[in-house]
Amino acid sequence: MPSPHDRIDTTTAHSARVYDYILGGKDHYLVDVEAGDAMCRHWPALPVHMRENRRFMHRAGRYLAQERGIRQFLDIGTGLPTAPNLHEVAQEAAAHAHVVYVDNDPIVLAHARALLQSSPEGATAYVDADMHDPDAILDSPQFRELIDLGRPVGLMIIGILHFILPPDDRRLVRRLLDPLPSGSYLAMTIGTADFAPEEVGRVSQEYAEQGMPMALRDLPTASSFFDGMDLVEPGVVQVHRWRPGPEQSGIDDRAIAMYGAVARKL
Ligand SMILES: C[S@@+](CC[C@H](N)C(=O)[O-])C[C@H]1O[C@@H](n2cnc3c(N)ncnc32)[C@H](O)[C@@H]1O
């Protein structure tokens, strides 16, 4: 049986590994280090921006688990395991919470064991699939076994939408939301060049040159993904401004190129 390692391309940079490198992880290769260093030369705030994206995931996941009673999550574009992972956040609120993780990068698959260390009362699963094929996610045995569509679900699309280009982006998000019952939530972060257009434009160019074209969205476009849903306060804001804690104090808006929001499905 082929191992996920056979699919890992160590000659070109990959988004999950560049993210891991910049966040101080250890699961990346020389190409990712070189790409990450080039991006940081273009925009030295990149590590702050990436860290705050990750922290938004923590706060949004905690909010949904603790304050909205969400007990099952579908996490698209999970990334390499980095503590705390979503199931650790959710199971801290409720040990029996279920989390289904999805990523299309073989290196994430190779490290998925760390995502499967669920509490004994709860459950986690990993689906090796692409967001461009939502039916493969929704029809997977992992999703069917762990997610009860009679109860609300937290759909997390964090740090990935900038890799999902128009015109398919809206349809793909909708397709993932469609089967989820009313009272489910969408938590999403959306890349933008609104606050540091030149620097973020250069980083975007670098990603494109490394084979990872990206879409950056202004506030009206970012907000339109939540049309027809009930936005949780404070709405669509830069990620460090969404229900900030003490860690977010003093962060310069120009260091954050990501909108974030949480909304309830009606
Ligand atoms: C920047 S990381 C974000 C990780 C995590 N969600 C977070 O915010 O900390 C983006 C992840 O999305 C994954 N990804 C990118 N395009 C994807 C696609 N079309 N389908 C599934 N995963 C994808 C990458 O492999 C990577 O692990």
Side-chain angles (χ1 to χ4, degrees):
M1 200 161 122
S3 122
H5 289 279
D6 300 338
R7 277 171 48 206
I8 296 172
D9 177 359
T10 59
T11 62
T12 53
H14 275 248
S15 61
R17 299 179 333 218
V18 172
Y19 189 64
D20 176 78
Y21 166 59
I22 292 178
L23 285 181
K26 52 184 173 29
D27 300 311
H28 48 260
Y29 298 97
L30 183 59
V31 278
D32 308 302
V33 172
E34 288 169 353
D37 286 347
M39 290 167 192
C40 290
R41 277 195 297 278
H42 292 310
W43 191 38
L46 189 60
V48 177
H49 155 85
M50 287 186 168
R51 196 185 62 219
E52 288 306 314
N53 173 71
R54 184 82 188 166
R55 285 179 171 166
F56 171 90
M57 184 278 277
H58 299 155
R59 296 199 303 286
R62 201 170 293 124
Y63 170 81
L64 291 177
Q66 287 183 356
E67 297 187 35
R68 300 290 173 130
I70 298 295
R71 297 291 177 259
Q72 32 181 18
F73 291 86
L74 174 61
D75 181 51
I76 310 290
T78 296
L80 283 157
T82 308
N85 296 293
L86 178 59
H87 71 278
E88 289 151 341
V89 170
Q91 291 178 349
E92 197 182 295
H96 60 282
H98 288 187
V99 178
V100 174
Y101 290 112
V102 180
D103 205 289
N104 70 346
D105 192 327
I107 196 157
V108 179
L109 173 64
H111 289 83
R113 195 174 305 130
L115 299 169
L116 303 176
Q117 308 292 320
S118 171
S119 66
E121 304 89 334
T124 61
Y126 183 83
V127 184
D128 176 27
D130 197 302
M131 183 169 165
H132 292 100
D133 187 3
D135 291 328
I137 299 168
L138 299 171
D139 292 340
S140 67
Q142 297 90 321
F143 181 83
R144 284 163 175 257
E145 274 165 33
L146 260 62
I147 304 293
D148 170 4
L149 289 174
R151 293 189 299 125
V153 178
L155 171 61
M156 312 290 283
I157 303 182
I158 311 287
I160 164 174
L161 198 69
H162 47 282
F163 297 122
I164 307 296
L165 307 182
D168 290 331
D169 47 355
R170 221 160 286 273
R171 176 182 63 79
L172 293 169
V173 173
R174 286 285 146 192
R175 178 70 193 103
L176 290 167
L177 269 173
D178 272 348
L180 310 185
S182 162
S184 293
Y185 284 86
L186 169 63
M188 188 155 74
T189 65
I190 302 144
T192 184
D194 283 358
F195 302 91
E198 278 179 29
E199 296 87 337
V200 175
R202 286 199 297 269
V203 172
S204 165
Q205 180 68 29
E206 184 71 34
Y207 267 99
E209 282 167 16
Q210 303 280 345
M212 297 173 280
M214 58 167 62
L216 298 165
R217 290 152 175 121
D218 59 15
L219 183 58
T221 310
S223 304
S224 68
F225 281 90
F226 301 94
D227 283 353
M229 301 185 78
D230 190 11
L231 273 172
V232 167
E233 284 298 316
V236 184
V237 292
Q238 282 175 288
V239 283
H240 66 300
R241 295 187 171 278
W242 195 87
R243 299 182 174 248
E247 287 171 326
Q248 279 68 46
S249 73
I251 295 175
D252 186 337
D253 284 352
R254 288 168 301 181
I256 305 296
M258 203 62 106
Y259 287 115
V262 175
R264 185 174 179 274
K265 184 173 174 182
L266 299 174

